[in-house]
Amino acid sequence: MSNRNTYNKRILGDDLFNKVQKSRILLVGAGGIGCELLKNLVLSGFSQITVIDLDTIDVSNLNRQFLFQRQHVKQAKAHIAKESALQFNPTVNITSLQANIKDPAFDVQWFKQYTMVLNALDNLDARRHVNGMCLAADVPLVESGTQGYLGQAYVIQKDVTECFDCQPKPTPTTYAVCTIRSTPSAPIHCIVWAKSFLFNQLFGNSEEEDSIEEQADENKNELNALKVEAAELKEIKEAAGSSDYVEKLFNKIYKKDIERLISMDSMWKDRAPPVPLNYETLESELSQQAEDKEISDQEPWDTIENFRVFKDSVNRLSTRWLEEKEKDKDAVLVFDKDDDDTMEFVAAASNLRAFLFNIPTSSLFDIKSMAGNIIPAIATTNAIIAGVVIMKAFGVLRGDIKSITRTYLTYGSRLVQESNSEPNPQCGVCRSRSTTLLVDFEKVTLADILEKIVFVSREDGGAGMDREDVAITVGNRMIYDIEFDENVSDTLSEFGLKSGSILRVSENEEHVDLILESIDTDEQLKLLNPIPKPMNLQDNLKRKMEDDMEYENKRMKMSQDGDDSVIVLEEEDDVVMIDD
């Protein structure tokens, strides 16, 4: 035993130290908090660690992600983090993966191999995904996040504590349609247009323009015009992969649409009209520029540089999209700030639009910050929260998860602690009924699942759902409802489903999650466990009434714990909530 582990054993005690040594830890994210966490893990006696991160190291990371140095720029964060952490403790077994935690390979069974999962992520979508996978695998999750000088860490355990989605998260900022489509005045307006409208229309789910506000009556005309443009883009979308696809797209969004705007004279009485861009002119200027000219991500690009990046990124994305369509006709690409293709597309497309409206352009670095909603990080905050996470991990190994408090780092470096809450009975994630369904993916059809599981009565072991009200989704993709049933005879493999996929079967407010796993017997379809019965409605209403009464009558109770730097809050008023 090394000297370091000798000291760890004395501090932790034999029982806890042995649990630490035997535990298998999954660390998701090797950024600001992730670097601090990995260092803490190897110094605290944890000996079996897997770290996963899709990102590569950027110069901007070096001021706070101390496992990385300048010579590591452009290399995989996960691999370099492992390499650097092993210098603290060479005896630790670290597996590093440069991958997206949402990849199908990382299914429920994969998560089940770990004693616990530590989240060190910087975006809500990935955190929601890990939350759902840990619930499905029944593996404890230690969630953490920082924002400037603020931070938090807490434990999530199925049926014991609130999950990540038990409480609503802040609604993303929205922007009026008229501003986005017709009168942008700031870089963020162009970025929202490129990310939430243009990217989704070309490569994603065109129904999900979440950042564009549609409610105001005065926006109706603008919204209708936006829908016309979307319909025209769908036609151009059919030309993806052709030699003139980029030119058609460019002329549509930077010439034809702009000329249509200019024709609305009343719009330009008090402001300068936009100036259309000419594809042939830019193409000619681009041909005179050296092909191997390097462009910086820290400085704004000129018009020709943006034009070049726009062309290249559109071609790369359209190729990827077509390849995915061959595997799944409903395939879409999803914007990811860590995906060079999607990020460069949004940066170039938004900057070209900024040129039209005489708006200052932004660097790739700045656009990544705005489009990816990256929260500024401070090294000291990351270090404090990473230390708190390790303490939570010790608590998980001790076994009494319900007694582990939530910890918040507030202004003035005060560590505020709050008792953990029980699962929200209204939560559509952790309160959904779930079970594992063993299937032969090549033989079992969606109709088999409907007839043998979903529509079967609860008394006979099924979900007992009504044929008229059932809908089935996989992630954000709907694969069945009463009006969308033409594919029920397709096999699960034809839907692109595989081991670890989760079918969410919904009937009104009731949900059942079927976790699909491969069957290894002659049977084609088998429930591993009975489907849990739905929550009793009366119990649900009683809990809600009790919560409402408690809210009306509750009083804040504070008690000093040790010294003035730690306050225990028994209620949740005035507690700083941080989601990123």
Side-chain angles (χ1 to χ4, degrees), residues 108 136 432-437 439 441 444-450 453-454 465 470-475 477-480 490-493 495-506 511-517 525 531:
V108 175
S432 66
R433 297 178 284 154
S434 65
T435 189
T436 299
L437 180 61
V439 296
F441 288 90
V444 172
T445 66
L446 186 59
D448 291 331
I449 292 179
L450 288 167
I453 303 294
V454 177
M465 293 189 170
V470 167
I472 300 179
T473 55
V474 180
R477 177 167 63 109
M478 177 174 287
I479 62 174
Y480 173 82
D490 289 356
T491 64
L492 299 183
S493 63
F495 280 103
L497 303 177
K498 57 186 68 176
S499 184
S501 296
I502 301 177
L503 295 182
R504 166 152 288 196
V505 186
S506 303
H511 308 286
V512 172
D513 287 341
L514 299 177
I515 305 166
L516 304 182
E517 299 291 349
L525 185 68
I531 297 175

Side-chain angles (χ1 to χ4, degrees), residues 8-75:
N8 284 331
K9 189 172 184 178
R10 290 178 184 174
I11 294 169
L12 301 176
D14 290 347
D15 184 51
L16 180 56
F17 177 76
N18 289 334
K19 291 178 179 179
V20 167
Q21 284 274 287
K22 294 176 182 178
S23 63
R24 292 173 58 86
I25 304 297
L26 171 61
L27 172 59
V28 187
I33 298 177
C35 281
E36 294 285 349
L37 265 178
L38 187 58
K39 176 259 296 180
N40 289 351
L41 287 168
V42 301
L43 295 179
S44 301
F46 292 91
S47 59
Q48 300 178 75
I49 306 165
T50 297
V51 57
I52 180 170
D53 196 307
L54 178 65
D55 208 358
T56 55
I57 299 163
D58 188 83
V59 172
S60 62
N61 302 145
L62 303 182
N63 70 331
R64 62 190 180 279
Q65 298 175 20
F66 74 99
L67 295 182
F68 311 138
Q69 300 177 29
R70 183 167 292 275
Q71 67 267 25
H72 298 141
V73 170
K74 301 300 181 184
Q75 297 184 56

